[in-house]
Amino acid sequence: MLEDGKIFIGKSTKPEYLDLRLANRHGLVTGATGTGKTVSLQVLAEGFSKAGVPVFAADIKGDLSGLAAPGNGKEPLVKRAQDIGIEYKPDQFPVVFWDIFGEQGHRVRATISEMGPLLLSRLLDLNETQEGVLNIAFRIADEQGLLLLDLKDLRALLQLISDNAGELTTTYGNVSKATIGTIQRQLLVLENQQGDEFLGEPALDIKDLMRTDRDGRGVVNILAADKLMSNPRLYATFLLWLMSELFEELPEVGDLDQPKLVFFFDEAHLLFNDAPKALVETVERVVRLIRSKGVGVYFITQNPVDVPETVLAQLGNRVQHALRAYTPREQKAVRVAAQTFRQNPAFDTEKAITELGVGEALVSMLEGKGAPSMVERTLIAPPMAQVGPIELSERQQILASSPMKGKYDQPIDPESAYEMLAKRAEQAAADAKAAEGGGGILDMLGNIFGTNGPQRKGTMTMGQKVVREVTRTVVNQTVGNIAAELGKSIGGRQGSSIGRAIVRGTLGGLLRR
């Protein structure tokens, strides 16, 4: 429910609200499996949509698709509404479905260049040495004006580096053919896991996630993640990329009356599992600064300890569902969860966490000047849209009438690094043949300067030197022209800037601005 710039969360001894002015200070929804986290997420998504705030959420179990259909008035939901003193009014919300594999929604893609070496190394599970070589590959691509769109582009570049490893080592540091081979094998593993479905064009334009419908409601963008969870590293890397895109692309706006977009990150522990320290520090910095872009980030996970303390400190709005404490480790986790709240003298927070029923939660939202409210034991409001997944036929109807229909569904393969390197190889071969007397202008120069005649071993006439320099000039100009024309020929939205400069952002992704 939405009331005067606030989202109604539920009722404790008083109504509990999330103030939209403070919603960009991020949040955390935690609790054991089956305690109601998804319902809390749905209540928040409904409230943001009503306020005209677009939402992006990963749908792990398929339940969030119910936002597209009106609630069916099940007795437990109606009773809960009565218990907290509100009227149950079935409602439905504008939804756009997305899917990396293109099966349950519009395809979501990013290019290799946009991903950058840091996130791609994470996706490929590379060690520090391998990540260093991948950074060299991106550096060479940037310097040569080579846009990497898909896996074949990256493979072509890695092959070029492998063939010239000796020469590159003196300029960029040690480049081992064995390391290149390892990266190539990891690319094959990624391809076998259908990770290549995510890499290519047309890449997602984040503006398509920030839309409202004709009634002014924020569109709820739902990523089908049930199949994606079989590759958790791809899932985490994709959401990291999306968060970095939002951070890099959106302008600074400061604190608004309400966010421009809210981003829900379910199974948040996957983001941080085995993540290198440098990546965690970068994520912490992005989370801290992205609120000034008008974006709220909400992590959903089982326990607050799943999130690093540096990130946890940035999450001001908290909803804690029940946790079980059967083992010493679980008891410690409950104790840590309780300590993250501003304590309420009316009850024992640590004890309450283990006693919460389904649909109950401990709630603490930011209030006033951004200070957390005292924690309250709260009965969460029922969603007004359907709880649980919609039928496949309903999903297909929504996809058929979607405003995104046709924009991302078919892959495109514009001219990029693979094609450019192939052209350069062909041109170099042609120039080499011409330099050897294959005819044309160089053959004519040879006749003029007498270089086509007999030559003594170890000697070079002035005419031959001139031809050699002309040959070099032709080759260099050919390569330079190809690089200069890359921006014109690429056909994508990044092409207009590639000829001027390549600039990378905080997480190493290509800045499209």
Side-chain angles (χ1 to χ4, degrees), residues 203-267:
L204 177 67
D205 185 345
I206 60 169
K207 294 183 180 64
D208 287 333
L209 302 179
M210 305 176 69
R211 301 173 58 259
T212 56
D213 70 359
R214 60 186 178 185
D215 297 323
R217 290 192 169 195
V219 171
V220 181
N221 300 277
I222 297 178
L223 175 71
D226 48 349
K227 182 178 177 181
L228 187 58
M229 290 308 295
S230 63
N231 189 346
R233 193 174 293 274
L234 176 59
Y235 168 76
T237 305
F238 163 70
L239 292 182
L240 261 180
W241 166 78
L242 181 57
M243 189 165 65
S244 70
E245 282 287 287
L246 293 168
F247 175 70
E248 301 291 359
E249 294 295 321
L250 296 179
E252 294 275 346
V253 293
D255 290 325
L256 304 173
D257 290 336
Q258 62 185 42
K260 297 172 67 175
L261 177 73
V262 170
F263 178 38
F264 288 100
F265 197 142
D266 204 354
E267 300 291 343

Side-chain angles (χ1 to χ4, degrees), residues 295-347:
V295 177
V297 180
Y298 287 70
F299 293 95
I300 296 91
T301 189
Q302 292 201 11
N303 199 293
V305 298
D306 295 337
V307 181
E309 288 187 6
T310 53
V311 177
L312 194 62
Q314 310 300 320
L315 312 180
N317 301 296
R318 305 283 184 90
V319 177
Q320 173 69 64
H321 288 273
L323 289 174
R324 308 307 173 206
Y326 300 122
T327 68
R329 184 174 181 275
E330 290 173 338
Q331 291 166 3
K332 180 182 178 181
V334 170
R335 187 162 55 252
V336 171
Q339 292 169 352
T340 63
F341 287 102
R342 178 184 166 191
Q343 300 300 303
N344 188 335
F347 60 88

Side-chain angles (χ1 to χ4, degrees), residues 56-57 96-111 114-115 194-206 208-209 221-224 228 234 238-239 241-242 245 404 407-410 493:
F56 183 92
V96 172
F97 292 111
W98 303 90
D99 185 0
I100 283 179
F101 306 110
E103 296 171 357
Q104 301 181 65
H106 305 295
R107 280 195 180 276
V108 184
R109 298 182 184 86
T111 67
E114 286 175 336
M115 286 284 288
Q194 291 185 280
D196 59 322
E197 300 275 358
F198 170 52
L199 300 168
E201 285 275 27
L204 177 67
D205 185 345
I206 60 169
D208 287 333
L209 302 179
N221 300 277
I222 297 178
L223 175 71
L228 187 58
L234 176 59
F238 163 70
L239 292 182
W241 166 78
L242 181 57
E245 282 287 287
M404 295 296 106
K407 182 171 183 179
Y408 297 103
D409 299 334
Q410 295 300 320
R493 47 194 161 49

Side-chain angles (χ1 to χ4, degrees), residues 115-140 154 158 161 172 174-176 178-184 186 233 274-280 282 506-509:
M115 286 284 288
L118 180 61
L119 290 181
L120 192 59
S121 296
R122 171 78 168 143
L123 180 59
L124 297 174
D125 196 20
L126 303 182
N127 62 29
E128 187 174 345
T129 301
Q130 294 155 2
E131 181 180 346
V133 171
L134 192 63
N135 271 279
I136 291 173
F138 273 81
R139 175 70 178 272
I140 291 170
L154 184 57
L158 289 172
I161 292 173
Y172 299 100
N174 188 42
V175 179
S176 163
T179 302
I180 294 288
T182 301
I183 298 173
Q184 293 276 33
Q186 289 300 97
R233 193 174 293 274
D274 302 320
K277 182 180 179 182
L279 179 60
V280 174
T282 303
T506 304
L507 285 172

Side-chain angles (χ1 to χ4, degrees), residues 14 26 34 56 59 151 213 243 264 280 288 300 320 341 390 399 431 446 497 502:
K14 67 183 191 309
H26 313 316
F56 183 92
D59 192 6
L151 289 186
D213 70 359
M243 189 165 65
F264 288 100
V280 174
R288 186 176 71 251
I300 296 91
Q320 173 69 64
F341 287 102
I390 59 175
L399 285 170
D431 290 337
S497 64
I502 292 180

